[in-house]
Amino acid sequence: MQFDDDAGLDTSEVQDVRGSRIPGGRATVGGGVAGLIALLLGLFLGVGPDQLGLSAGDEEPGASASSLAEVQQTCRTGRDANTKEDCRIVAVVNSVQDFWAQEFERRGGTYTRSPTVFFSDRVGTACGTATSAVGPFYCPGDRKVYLDLGFFEELRTAFGSSGGPFAQAYVVAHEYGHHVQDLTGTLDRSQDGRTGANSNAVRVELQADCHAGVWAHHATTTKDESTGRPLITGLTEADIRDGMDAAAAVGDDRIQERFQGRVTPEAWTHGSAAQRQQWFHQGYRTGDMARCDTFR
């Protein structure tokens, strides 16, 4: 995955609170690509709430002036995105949101931009407070995406993903898929408390995978506002394979087999590895969010 060296990055779309000390908060209910991994471990391995990183309270995060200034100073252009991980995530956030803003406008709607919050260890949100154990997640209460960049190493080492820059991009795009669902009213369908292969929780996650694929289809043609040229200048088949591999790595069956030694479809909340790959590929192949109806 390559970015236009001369494109300007919009760091206003990222809030960096890494290093901030956040008091405890109530359990976070997100919709992240791995947001329920910790809960899965708790349900099947008897891990308690404190060990999962979920606690009580409702503190909001405060931006760390030093870390935010660092991102603003070091993540200025596409050239920085090609060489630094946090700048790459800023660039992906910019590209994803540029695409959805243009797509909503094309469809006669209005897209509301959502910040991504970089955090480390623990973060407070409108959904409550969570630690890095929860994984990346989207909070509909404040319409923000939350991401500890250390998750990407865990995705490779703990969950067996091949890794790579586009695996990271897939994770970010999936979370913004939840934001799109929030704006279109679909996200609420996951809140009925049911689990299983055909549950609304799974269908919502698979649709977010499809939305991620739709963005990927258009990533190299979505124009950046600062240059009028695409911010992402190149995606290879190897990049897409990395995204597909990441989608499979966080399938419920893969996670269950890895951490509990057996597969229990009745407890699924995100879908199987094959389903997640299928729906990401559906979005990537068609480039059409109308083809992402997982509720049919």
Side-chain angles (χ1 to χ4, degrees):
M1 181 169 62
Q2 290 291 316
F3 300 92
D4 179 355
D5 281 344
D6 298 324
L9 300 185
D10 183 0
T11 56
S12 70
E13 294 190 344
V14 171
Q15 299 173 359
D16 194 341
V17 299
R18 289 175 291 182
S20 299
R21 296 180 62 85
I22 305 295
R26 67 179 180 275
T28 298
V29 181
V33 62
L36 295 183
I37 288 175
L39 297 182
L40 284 167
L41 296 178
L43 288 171
F44 299 127
L45 300 180
V47 180
D50 290 342
Q51 293 165 286
L52 295 176
L54 307 176
S55 52
D58 55 0
E59 295 294 329
E60 291 280 350
S64 166
S66 59
S67 60
L68 184 56
E70 182 178 349
V71 168
Q72 290 173 337
Q73 291 170 6
T74 61
C75 301
R76 294 183 174 181
T77 67
R79 182 176 288 104
D80 299 322
N82 283 322
T83 58
K84 302 181 181 72
E85 181 183 62
D86 51 358
C87 300
R88 179 165 62 241
I89 302 306
V90 172
V92 170
V93 169
N94 291 170
S95 174
V96 170
Q97 299 217 90
D98 283 346
F99 166 69
W100 286 116
Q102 294 166 26
E103 180 67 7
F104 270 56
E105 182 178 9
R106 187 179 72 83
R107 293 174 174 271
T110 302
Y111 176 79
T112 303
R113 291 182 180 258
S114 164
T116 284
V117 179
F118 290 169
F119 74 96
S120 56
D121 298 326
R122 179 187 295 271
V123 67
T125 80
C127 298
T129 298
T131 73
S132 301
V134 182
F137 62 93
Y138 172 74
C139 173
D142 54 26
R143 288 185 166 173
K144 295 179 181 180
V145 172
Y146 290 87
L147 176 63
D148 185 329
L149 298 184
F151 171 76
F152 295 131
E153 179 65 15
E154 295 180 12
L155 183 63
R156 186 180 64 82
T157 59
F159 298 100
S161 169
S162 60
F166 194 78
Q168 300 174 2
Y170 155 75
V171 171
V172 174
H174 173 98
E175 298 309 332
Y176 277 96
H178 287 308
H179 180 54
V180 169
Q181 291 171 324
D182 195 15
L183 295 176
T184 58
T186 306
L187 190 60
D188 288 343
R189 300 177 75 166
S190 66
Q191 304 302 314
D192 59 9
R194 298 179 181 178
T195 62
N198 295 313
S199 66
N200 282 344
V202 167
R203 294 177 189 275
V204 162
E205 294 298 331
L206 297 179
Q207 187 177 67
D209 283 334
C210 189
H211 288 337
V214 170
W215 161 74
H217 177 94
H218 296 280
T220 59
T221 58
T222 297
K223 293 182 179 180
D224 175 68
E225 294 180 358
S226 68
T227 65
R229 303 188 303 269
L231 175 56
I232 296 178
T233 59
L235 280 182
T236 67
E237 286 304 313
D239 288 325
I240 300 304
R241 285 196 299 272
D242 283 343
M244 295 276 285
D245 190 70
V250 290
D252 283 326
D253 52 342
R254 292 274 187 93
I255 293 172
Q256 289 175 342
E257 188 170 11
R258 181 178 290 265
F259 291 106
Q260 71 178 24
R262 68 186 187 282
V263 177
T264 52
E266 65 273 12
W268 287 1
T269 56
H270 283 60
S272 69
Q275 286 176 310
R276 303 200 70 167
Q277 287 187 317
Q278 172 194 341
W279 281 101
F280 173 78
H281 188 260
Q282 168 86 346
Y284 177 65
R285 180 179 60 83
T286 66
D288 184 0
M289 67 181 298
R291 302 290 295 274
C292 293
D293 185 1
T294 57
F295 294 90
R296 289 184 299 179

